[in-house]
């Protein structure tokens, strides 16, 4: 029985079966009120359940209670290290943004659920269109990717938790449970959202990749027609060797002419853009909260590390300077890595979609003058690519691409300088400490 279950689990036959691990975990974590169930025809489908709504509501109540309780008692992880005006400001900002992010994330999971469901339904229906033109989606590799992303996040989260516990245990400091929950919850919530986003992006990217393969095969077929009959057999042999193994011919079906295949490609590309539009509407608020949390943490943690290394703050706490640096730099690193995952996944998806336009014009160059109907269909697809682009943003404020990394680094540096200037203006003795740190005691004296 167990062996049969594992065999069916590791060999999914449809879209939802491949997404089941991610959707089940997000369902149990209260991030989504729907889960994967078997439909009347034994095919997988998404369904909202009363348990999903109750579970999400209980998670919101639990996390908000921990946040409010820790804030009222004045117990935050940062205050165990030191207490200054800037650290208090950082705690207030992180608590405010954190609780807002949690509420908005669970709000989106309940009230915006139909957008994510529509995005998944669109991808599932697109797979049936691929079969009509002879292309198959590899659900097994999809499942492996989803499991890899989930396992990677579990390993990183576990290492982060062990690092935090090791720092506090080594200094004989023991925060209570609610303080730990309010500290770790934003990262766990962010990790689950990132996993869902990456899994969706990977699915969509894979289907754009299949469209590019279709266009490349069509181009090879058009080039074959232009070869003389004497060279056609040898040319066909060379083309056959160059093709990847296991890829079905897109024009093997006699009922599908090349213009019909291009029309199918246009319909699939439009459906994929529509699915991305649904996903952007669902993730846009969550992406904004994640980027905001990461920005605040990077700015204040960088300041904490600098203050501990070149100031005198770490002398008044049970933590050493190395513990300061390890703890706060570790936190900034894991949060920053999450934003990098978002940016990389989004950029790779956009790049794969843009490659369709490149392959369309490569095919158009060889089809012009030989097949007017095919050229007309390609011109329509090229025009569609101009108006149907894939773009992920955070509430339209900024795009989720590599320019976001540059923007965050520049803004974080600016605010870090402002915090340092503010601290120096509050305590003139810090000038001497910084000068001694950089110039040495003898040079300063």
């Amino acid at each position: 029985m167990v062996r049969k279950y594992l065999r069916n689990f590791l060999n999914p036959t449809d879209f939802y079966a491949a997404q089941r691990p991610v959707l089940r975990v997000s369902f149990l974590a209260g991030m989504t009120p729907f889960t994967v169930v078997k439909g009347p025809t034994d095919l997988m489908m998404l369904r909202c359940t009363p348990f999903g709504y109750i579970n999400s509501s209980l998670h919101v109540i639990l996390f908000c209670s921990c946040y409010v309780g820790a804030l009222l008692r004045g117990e935050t992880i940062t205050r165990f290290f030191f207490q200054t005006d800037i650290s208090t400001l950082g705690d207030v900002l992180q608590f405010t943004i954190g609780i807002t992010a949690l509420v908005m994330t669970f709000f989106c999971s309940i009230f915006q659920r139909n957008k994510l469901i529509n995005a998944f339904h669109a991808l599932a229906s697109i797979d049936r269109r691929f079969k009509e033109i002879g292309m198959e989606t590899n659900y097994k590799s999809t499942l492996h990717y989803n499991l890899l992303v989930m396992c990677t996040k579990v390993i990183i989260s576990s290492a982060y938790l062990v690092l935090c516990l090791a720092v506090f245990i080594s200094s004989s400091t023991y925060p209570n449970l609610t303080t730990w929950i309010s500290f770790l919850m934003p990262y766990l919530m962010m990790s689950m959202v990132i996993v869902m986003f990456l899994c969706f992006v990977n699915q969509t990217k894979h289907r754009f990749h299949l469209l590019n393969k279709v266009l490349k095969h069509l181009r090879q077929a058009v080039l074959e027609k232009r070869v003389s009959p004497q060279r056609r057999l040898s040319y066909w042999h060379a083309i056959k060797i160059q093709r990847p193994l296991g890829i079905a011919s897109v024009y093997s079906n006699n009922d599908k002419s090349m213009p019909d295949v291009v029309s199918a490609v246009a319909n699939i590309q439009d459906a994929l853009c529509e699915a991305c539009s649904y996903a952007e509407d669902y993730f846009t608020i969550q992406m904004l909260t994640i980027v905001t949390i990461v920005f605040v943490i990077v700015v204040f943690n960088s300041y904490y590390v600098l203050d501990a290394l070149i100031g005198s703050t770490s002398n008044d706490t049970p933590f050493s300077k190395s513990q300061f640096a390890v703890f706060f730099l570790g936190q900034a690193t894991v949060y920053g890595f999450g934003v990098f995952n978002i940016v990389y996944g989004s950029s790779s998806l956009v790049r794969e979609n843009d490659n369709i336009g490149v392959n369309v014009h490569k095919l158009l160059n060889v089809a012009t003058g030989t097949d007017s109907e095919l050229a007309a269909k390609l011109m329509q697809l090229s025009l569609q690519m101009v108006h149907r682009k894939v773009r992920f943003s955070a509430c339209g404020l900024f795009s989720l691409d590599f320019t976001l990394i540059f923007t965050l680094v520049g803004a974080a540096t600016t605010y870090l300088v402002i915090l340092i200037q503010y601290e120096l203006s509050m305590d003139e003795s810090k000038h001497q400490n910084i000068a001694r740190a950089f110039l040495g005691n003898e040079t300063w004296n």
Side-chain angles (χ1 to χ4, degrees), residues 142-163:
T142 296
L143 176 64
H144 292 170
Y145 176 85
N146 293 344
L147 293 176
L148 177 63
V149 171
M150 294 175 64
C151 291
T152 302
K153 282 298 180 182
V154 169
I155 293 173
I156 294 176
S157 301
S158 301
Y160 176 49
L161 178 60
V162 170
L163 175 67

Side-chain angles (χ1 to χ4, degrees), residues 268-427:
I268 293 174
Q269 195 272 342
D270 180 72
L272 286 173
C273 291
E274 192 69 22
C276 291
S277 178
Y278 285 129
E280 184 190 10
D281 291 341
Y282 177 81
F283 286 108
T284 184
I285 297 178
Q286 302 177 48
M287 293 296 110
L288 178 61
T289 56
I290 288 175
V291 173
T292 305
I293 290 174
V294 172
F295 175 74
V296 171
I297 287 178
V298 168
V299 170
F300 282 93
N301 282 22
S302 300
Y303 167 78
Y304 297 153
V305 172
L306 288 176
D307 191 36
L309 293 179
I310 64 179
S312 59
T313 302
S314 59
N315 298 330
D316 303 328
T317 68
F319 300 94
S320 64
K321 291 185 177 181
S322 60
Q323 289 174 326
F324 262 83
V326 169
F327 182 83
F328 288 109
L329 287 180
Q331 184 187 23
T333 300
V334 295
Y335 275 85
F337 183 69
V339 171
F340 177 80
N341 288 336
I342 294 173
V343 168
Y344 180 80
S346 175
S347 299
S348 62
L349 171 61
V350 173
R351 185 167 56 252
E352 193 68 41
N353 179 56
D354 292 340
N355 288 338
I356 295 178
V358 176
N359 289 317
V360 165
H361 282 272
K362 285 184 178 180
L363 177 57
L364 183 61
N365 290 336
V366 298
T368 302
T370 59
D371 192 332
S372 58
E373 184 181 0
L374 177 60
K377 292 292 184 180
L378 290 172
M379 287 298 297
Q380 293 178 2
L381 178 55
S382 177
L383 183 62
Q384 175 178 304
M385 292 295 301
V386 174
H387 298 283
R388 294 291 283 171
K389 292 184 177 294
V390 176
R391 177 177 177 268
F392 289 98
S393 65
C395 293
L397 298 177
F398 43 80
S399 299
L400 299 178
D401 52 26
F402 283 105
T403 59
L404 176 60
I405 302 294
F406 176 79
T407 303
L408 287 178
V409 172
T413 304
T414 301
Y415 281 96
L416 179 60
V417 172
I418 294 174
L419 290 177
I420 294 175
Q421 291 177 339
Y422 172 79
E423 184 68 14
L424 292 176
S425 66
M426 296 298 293
D427 187 359

Side-chain angles (χ1 to χ4, degrees), residues 48-63:
C48 296
T49 63
F51 173 79
Y53 294 112
I54 296 174
N55 188 37
S56 297
S57 302
L58 290 177
H59 277 78
V60 173
I61 295 173
L62 172 63
F63 301 146

Side-chain angles (χ1 to χ4, degrees), residues 219-237:
R219 181 172 179 269
Q220 291 174 350
V222 174
L223 289 174
E224 180 192 352
K225 289 183 178 180
R226 298 172 60 177
V227 178
S228 61
Q230 293 79 10
R231 297 177 52 199
R232 187 163 296 176
L233 291 177
S234 60
Y235 181 84
W236 170 252
H237 180 69

